Amino acid sequence: MASIAVFGANGTVGSAVLAEAAARGHRVTAVVRDPSRFDVARHAGPVRPGGVTVVAGDVLDPADVAGVAAGQDVLVSAVGGGDGPGHLALIGPAARALVEGLRELGGGAPRLIVVGGAGSLETGPGVRVWDAPGLPDQVRQIMHAHGEALDYLRTVADVRWTVLSPAARLGPGERTGRYRTGLEQLLTDAQGESRISVPDYALALVDEIEQPEHIGERFTCCAL
C-alpha cells in the first residue's frame, strides 16, 4: 500500500481521490488549510480507522509542500481556484511551489500527480478545446491556467510528475469502474460525448498511482 498526500482534499475531485485511495487501503493524508473544519466522514466516506490523516498545509508554500511530502510515496494536487482569475492566481504558482518543495527532498521526493484541465487537449490538427468559439472568458481563463501549468511541468526533468486531464465534462455521477485513456487528443464515449464522472476520474488517478504508466507526461481519461 502507498502513502499518499492530497492537497485540495476538501474539494470535489480531491475528496473523490481521497475516498478512492482510502477505500483501497492506502495510507492517505488530507492536506487542507484548516484541519479543524475538515470532516473525514463527509469528504472521504466510511474508511477504516486511521486510514486518513488530516494536516495543515499551503500548496503555495514550498516549505509546507516539502514538510507534507516527506515520507510520502505520492503527492496529489487537486487544488482549484474558483473563478477564472482565481485559477490564474493559483494553478501555475501551485505547480511551481510543488516542484520547488519536492526539489528540497532530493532523490527521496515522492511522485507528483496533478489534476489538470481539458482545455489544452486537441480536437483536431492544431486545434484545442479552448479554441472553440463562444467560450466564456472565465472558462477560457481556467483552461489556460491549467495549460500554462502543464507547459511549466514539461520543462521539469528532476521531479517525477504526471498530469491527468479529464474529459471535457467532469461532473457528478456513478463510479462505473470503466474508462479509457489517451494522451493529447480529447476522447469521447460511444455516444460521441466527452465526459467522465468524478468517481471514475478518481479511479483512473488512483489506478495510475498503483500502476504507473505516465511519469513525465500528461494523459487523459473518458467514460466508455
Side-chain angles (χ1 to χ4, degrees), residues 27-136:
R27 298 178 297 277
V28 190
T29 299
V31 190
V32 295
R33 285 185 174 273
D34 185 358
S36 68
R37 300 177 60 184
F38 187 84
D39 184 337
V40 172
R42 181 165 71 87
H43 289 284
V47 297
R48 59 185 174 82
V52 176
T53 302
V54 185
V55 302
D58 181 356
V59 74
L60 297 178
D61 184 339
D64 273 11
V65 171
V68 166
Q72 303 287 343
D73 298 309
V74 180
L75 187 63
V76 176
S77 175
V79 298
D83 60 8
H87 274 77
L88 289 170
L90 177 64
I91 301 302
R96 287 169 170 77
L98 287 160
V99 168
E100 186 177 340
L102 291 175
R103 281 174 171 160
E104 291 183 19
L105 301 179
R111 182 182 175 198
L112 172 64
I113 300 183
V114 175
V115 173
S120 60
L121 292 168
E122 298 172 356
T123 56
V127 181
R128 303 189 185 193
V129 173
W130 62 38
D131 294 321
L135 285 175

Side-chain angles (χ1 to χ4, degrees), residues 7-216:
F7 275 99
N10 52 350
T12 300
V13 175
S15 293
V17 171
L18 191 74
E20 179 70 27
R24 297 199 203 182
H26 296 292
R27 298 178 297 277
V28 190
T29 299
V31 190
V32 295
R33 285 185 174 273
D34 185 358
S36 68
R37 300 177 60 184
F38 187 84
D39 184 337
V40 172
R42 181 165 71 87
H43 289 284
V47 297
R48 59 185 174 82
V52 176
T53 302
V54 185
V55 302
D58 181 356
V59 74
L60 297 178
D61 184 339
D64 273 11
V65 171
V68 166
Q72 303 287 343
D73 298 309
V74 180
L75 187 63
V76 176
S77 175
V79 298
D83 60 8
H87 274 77
L88 289 170
L90 177 64
I91 301 302
R96 287 169 170 77
L98 287 160
V99 168
E100 186 177 340
L102 291 175
R103 281 174 171 160
E104 291 183 19
L105 301 179
R111 182 182 175 198
L112 172 64
I113 300 183
V114 175
V115 173
S120 60
L121 292 168
E122 298 172 356
T123 56
V127 181
R128 303 189 185 193
V129 173
W130 62 38
D131 294 321
L135 285 175
D137 287 343
Q138 289 214 5
V139 172
R140 208 180 301 273
Q141 286 178 322
I142 292 170
M143 290 178 173
H144 280 281
H146 284 288
E148 289 164 10
L150 174 60
D151 287 344
Y152 164 70
L153 288 171
R154 283 176 166 156
T155 71
V156 174
D158 57 341
V159 170
R160 294 173 299 150
W161 62 269
T162 298
V163 172
L164 175 54
S165 289
R169 288 174 48 206
L170 171 66
E174 297 181 0
R175 182 189 186 281
T176 69
R178 300 169 66 246
Y179 64 89
R180 67 189 184 101
T181 62
L183 294 177
E184 295 303 312
Q185 285 72 42
L186 184 74
L187 300 177
T188 57
D189 63 15
Q191 287 73 47
E193 297 183 19
S194 181
R195 60 182 176 84
I196 193 164
S197 70
V198 170
D200 279 342
Y201 175 91
L203 169 68
L205 191 149
V206 178
D207 281 350
E208 174 66 19
I209 289 175
E210 293 183 348
Q211 300 178 33
E213 295 183 0
H214 300 286
I215 293 176

